[in-house]
Every structure is written in structure tokens, then in C-alpha cells.
Amino acid sequence: MNQITPMLPVDREPTIRVIPMPKDSNAAGDVFGGWIMSQVDLAGSVPAVAHAKGRVVTVAVNEFIFKEPVFVGDLCSFYADVDKVGRTSMRVRVEVYAQRRLQPDNVAKVTEAYITYVAVDEHRNPRPVEPLK
Ligand SMILES: CC(C)(COP(=O)(O)OP(=O)(O)OC[C@H]1O[C@@H](n2cnc3c(N)ncnc32)[C@H](O)[C@@H]1OP(=O)(O)O)[C@@H](O)C(=O)NCCC(=O)NCCS
């Protein structure tokens, strides 16, 4: 169901914000899930790179839920935080909100995902990261 109540997180900044264009839509005219997945991967890499202080690679998509459709022209905000850290890996929770096209007060939480990144060195070998504070 569409949420009419504004509900963008007030205590966090999105790691990316982007507006899907017609080229990002599927055959039915809604935004293609693969486009959303690639934006989530980019958004999640931001806190992972910050935590790892360097290069990371995506090793796994642990969970990915499309809660609501995204439409061409929606302003999509991606919020991402590292929520679990191993020796070399970091799991990032990504939440996506869409402000419906030209309706900043009409906000829906559209996607939630958990992605795992691994910090790598210049030879692409895993390298240790700091524990989560
Ligand atoms: C990521 C990669 C470097 C890991 O190398 P590896 O030899 O398997 O290393 P390890 O077995 O030591 O695993 C490294 C970490 O990844 C974690 N990991 C591996 N597979 C995983 C999976 N399916 N789900 C979650 N975590 C996983 C391990 O648990 C380990 O975490 P820890 O050190 O915090 O305990 C290697 O698999 C790789 O290069 N993959 C391709 C990455 C890529 O091209 N991504 C797409 C573009 S960015």
C-alpha cells in the first residue's frame, strides 16, 4: 500500500538519491527491479568503503525485499548503514524510500536489503577491518 504520511528518516542522511528515468523501466512501465538492485549495491558500498577505509567487493546479497513499486520520476533516497562486521566482511542494511513524482509529501518505503561486502587489498585478497563500534 502507498504511504501518504511523510516518513523519510529524520536522523540520517541518504548515501545516494536518484530519480529513475524511462530507460530504467520494465516492459510494464514500472521501474526495473535490476535497476533498484544496482542502486542498492552502490548505496551500500558507501558505508562499507568508509568502514573498510578502502576498496570493497560485494560478496553476497543476503536479503532483498521489494515492498512497493518504484515509478519513473520518483525521487529515491537510499539509506545505508553497516550493521554487522566480521573479520574481513561487513553486512550493510539498505532502506529505500520513494517520494512520488512531484509529491514530496507522498513517501513510501519501497525496498529493504542486506548486502555483504568484503574489504580487499590491491591483489583482491580479503583484508581485516575494524570491529563495529
Ligand atoms: C569476496 C572474495 C574476495 C572472498 O574471497 P574468499 O577467498 O572467499 O575469502 P573468505 O573465504 O576468507 O571470505 C571472506 C569473507 O567473506 C565472507 N563470505 C564469503 N562468502 C559469503 C557469503 N556467501 N555470504 C556472506 N559472507 C560471505 C566470509 O564469511 C568472510 O567473512 P569474515 O572474514 O568476516 O569472516 C571473493 O569471493 C571474490 O573476489 N568474489 C568476487 C567479488 C566480486 O567480483 N563482486 C562483484 C563485483 S564488486
Side-chain angles (χ1 to χ4, degrees):
M1 289 293 111
N2 277 351
Q3 303 256 5
I4 304 299
T5 310
M7 46 176 265
L8 281 185
V10 291
D11 53 342
R12 294 184 287 160
E13 288 294 318
T15 59
I16 63 170
R17 302 182 92 189
V18 62
I19 300 174
M21 293 288 121
K23 68 178 172 48
D24 305 314
S25 64
N26 60 27
D30 300 343
V31 169
F32 176 48
W35 179 86
I36 299 168
M37 293 179 89
S38 92
Q39 304 304 314
V40 164
D41 191 21
L42 285 173
S45 74
V46 174
V49 164
H51 187 89
K53 299 184 175 68
R55 185 172 176 195
V56 304
V57 292
T58 310
V59 71
V61 175
N62 307 109
E63 185 175 317
F64 212 105
I65 303 171
F66 296 104
K67 294 171 175 288
E68 297 276 351
V70 176
F71 304 110
V72 170
D74 289 353
L75 173 56
C76 299
S77 298
F78 296 71
Y79 295 81
D81 294 289
V82 175
D83 85 324
K84 190 174 159 191
V85 170
R87 196 181 77 84
T88 66
S89 67
M90 297 148 287
R91 191 180 72 177
V92 177
R93 180 182 188 213
V94 184
E95 296 170 283
V96 189
Y97 294 81
Q99 287 169 283
R100 299 308 186 187
R101 189 170 75 93
L102 306 180
Q103 303 173 67
D105 291 339
N106 186 354
V107 178
K109 184 173 182 176
V110 292
T111 297
E112 190 166 326
Y114 288 88
I115 318 280
T116 300
Y117 302 86
V118 174
V120 292
D121 63 19
E122 64 271 27
H123 305 296
R124 297 194 175 84
N125 294 318
R127 61 180 171 86
V129 294
E130 290 178 5
L132 198 57
K133 287 186 184 125

